[in-house]
Amino acid sequence: MFLPNIPTPDEVLDKGFSRAKKAAAKVRTSKIHRQHKSKRIEEVRIQTACQVIRDTFEEILEKTPHVEELPMFYQDYIDVAVGVDDLKRCLGALNWANGVLEKLQNQYTHKVRRSPPENAAQVRKAAFGRIASVVNRIGDELDFLNYAKQKLRNIPTVDTEATTAVIAGFPNVGKSTLMRRITNAEPEVADYPFTTKGIQIGHFERRWQNYQIIDTPGLLDRPVEDMNQIELNAMVALEHLADLILFVFDPSQTSGFPVENQVNLYWEIRKIFRNTPVLPLFNKMDLADDEEKIKYIEQHITTEDKPLMVAASEGKGIAEIITKLEEFNREEMRNRGD
């Protein structure tokens, strides 16, 4: 979602008053009778300033997507990132300002026409003061919209037609490495908790079918209501995008999280997304030297499929994951009757 450029109140006023001055300069060179010219100049300045500012706000309103018309994934993402209600409130402030500016334009244009020529400039100055007051009054809203623009400029673009697998699990269990191996994506990674800063998306194609792999930020083993914004973004992806969840375990525990906590998170994901299939992956098997940890996970998860054993850093087990995705897709197509 891309928001248009959001100017500051000073920039809005400078633009409006500058254009008004240029419009007035054209009137000065026109062949209007001198008695009427001074009034016409001030009338044009008021009309132009109001119209330019209204057009500026209207452009923002027109170019900003209507949140309620977006897919639910985007609606929830925006709500998590900046707050849908706050966004709508600030856009509503622009509508309010445009309504007031239209009234001021009509009111002060009428006053200029009724005033003596020598008073026209004074009326225009009063109009400009009122215009500036209206624009400055929504300064906080303009600041928020600019903040929202920065927060939403990297909102991911998803393919709603592709078969989508969302990778979930604790931080540092190898999710981003796994995604790089499966797809052509290059998510940002580093050796510290919450390595993935946002939702990353990669794609690949097999037998004319598009597949979309989404790497989520690392989740902590805690209730949804206690999650931070990064974690909530991950939950949004899981809720609205996942045809299949690839849950990544780290039996080696080099991620810093005990297998007991990883199993707890697995069950939390299964409980929340009970209608979405979950495929468990055991990653870092090249580092897993404790058979008891592997057995513990196997004994405490329930799945029809045997967990896939993977060493993503070495590329081992990747072909098996892709095969599973293809099998899942064929099964889904049969169920839909495609």
Side-chain angles (χ1 to χ4, degrees):
M1 174 179 173
F2 294 97
L3 286 161
N5 181 55
I6 310 296
T8 65
D10 286 344
E11 289 170 340
V12 173
L13 293 170
D14 286 346
K15 180 180 178 181
F17 294 159
S18 176
R19 296 273 186 88
K21 188 175 182 179
K22 290 179 180 178
K26 291 182 179 180
V27 176
R28 284 194 178 90
T29 61
S30 64
K31 296 180 179 181
I32 301 175
H33 193 280
R34 192 164 66 180
Q35 284 187 328
H36 302 292
K37 183 175 290 188
S38 60
K39 294 175 66 172
R40 181 58 183 158
I41 286 171
E42 304 306 343
E43 183 181 337
V44 166
R45 289 184 73 174
I46 294 170
Q47 291 174 334
T48 303
C50 285
Q51 193 59 54
V52 167
I53 294 171
R54 288 170 58 198
D55 288 346
T56 299
F57 292 156
E58 191 61 38
E59 182 179 13
I60 295 172
L61 292 169
E62 288 179 355
K63 290 186 177 180
T64 300
H66 296 286
V67 176
E68 60 275 7
E69 296 177 0
L70 297 173
M72 283 304 301
F73 164 72
Y74 289 111
Q75 292 187 39
D76 279 4
Y77 191 101
I78 293 168
D79 201 28
V80 167
V82 300
V84 168
D85 289 341
D86 287 336
L87 182 62
K88 288 182 176 180
R89 176 183 56 79
C90 292
L91 292 172
L94 300 191
N95 263 322
W96 168 85
N98 270 359
V100 175
L101 289 171
E102 184 178 11
K103 292 179 181 178
L104 291 177
Q105 180 179 335
N106 294 332
Q107 177 185 347
Y108 280 93
T109 297
H110 186 63
K111 282 187 176 182
V112 168
R113 291 172 181 172
R114 295 181 58 187
S115 67
E118 62 271 18
N119 292 342
Q122 195 64 34
V123 174
R124 187 265 307 162
K125 289 179 182 177
F128 275 20
R130 294 285 300 279
I131 293 168
S133 177
V134 170
V135 173
N136 285 321
R137 188 169 173 179
I138 63 168
D140 289 344
E141 285 77 9
L142 290 172
D143 285 345
F144 178 86
L145 290 174
N146 188 55
Y147 160 79
K149 174 183 172 65
Q150 303 306 317
K151 291 286 287 185
L152 299 175
R153 64 182 176 180
N154 293 324
I155 191 169
T157 300
V158 298
D159 181 357
T160 57
E161 301 299 321
T163 297
T164 300
V166 175
I167 304 175
F170 268 96
N172 295 330
V173 297
K175 300 191 304 297
S176 296
T177 303
L178 183 66
M179 180 182 182
R180 282 202 305 270
R181 290 290 187 176
I182 299 174
T183 74
N184 57 0
E186 286 294 335
E188 178 187 355
V189 292
D191 292 326
Y192 50 86
F194 298 108
T195 55
T196 304
K197 307 303 190 301
I199 295 171
Q200 304 289 333
I201 301 177
H203 303 86
F204 70 94
E205 182 180 330
R206 285 291 186 280
R207 296 179 177 87
W208 302 284
Q209 173 63 43
N210 293 324
Y211 293 85
Q212 182 171 243
I213 309 297
I214 298 180
D215 176 24
T216 63
L219 298 172
L220 288 179
D221 181 13
R222 54 183 175 181
V224 174
E225 58 267 22
D226 294 333
M227 290 181 176
N228 62 29
Q229 183 169 316
I230 294 177
E231 294 171 286
L232 287 173
N233 279 342
M235 300 302 279
V236 168
L238 289 170
E239 181 176 359
H240 294 301
L241 301 178
D243 296 313
L244 174 69
I245 296 173
L246 303 178
F247 191 93
V248 183
F249 287 99
D250 171 22
S252 74
Q253 300 186 139
T254 57
S255 59
F257 298 99
V259 292
E260 293 82 2
N261 295 83
Q262 296 181 53
V263 168
N264 289 341
L265 180 59
Y266 169 84
W267 282 110
E268 182 77 9
I269 293 295
R270 288 290 300 265
K271 180 175 68 176
I272 296 172
F273 307 104
R274 56 175 58 90
N275 295 323
T276 304
V278 179
L279 176 62
L281 306 177
F282 287 23
N283 192 26
K284 301 187 180 182
M285 292 304 293
D286 52 322
L287 303 176
D289 53 8
D290 188 338
E291 287 293 330
E292 291 303 313
K293 299 299 183 186
I294 298 173
K295 289 181 180 178
Y296 178 88
I297 299 175
E298 290 178 330
Q299 291 170 357
H300 287 82
I301 65 175
T302 300
T303 177
E304 295 178 359
D305 295 315
K306 183 177 177 62
L308 296 182
M309 304 300 172
V310 180
S313 62
E314 299 180 356
K316 295 180 180 179
I318 303 303
E320 287 78 3
I321 295 174
I322 292 175
T323 297
K324 282 288 185 181
L325 290 172
E326 290 183 285
E327 291 175 356
F328 170 80
N329 181 62
R330 286 194 295 270
E331 182 64 27
E332 286 293 292
M333 292 178 69
R334 279 197 296 268
N335 292 338
R336 294 195 305 262
D338 294 350

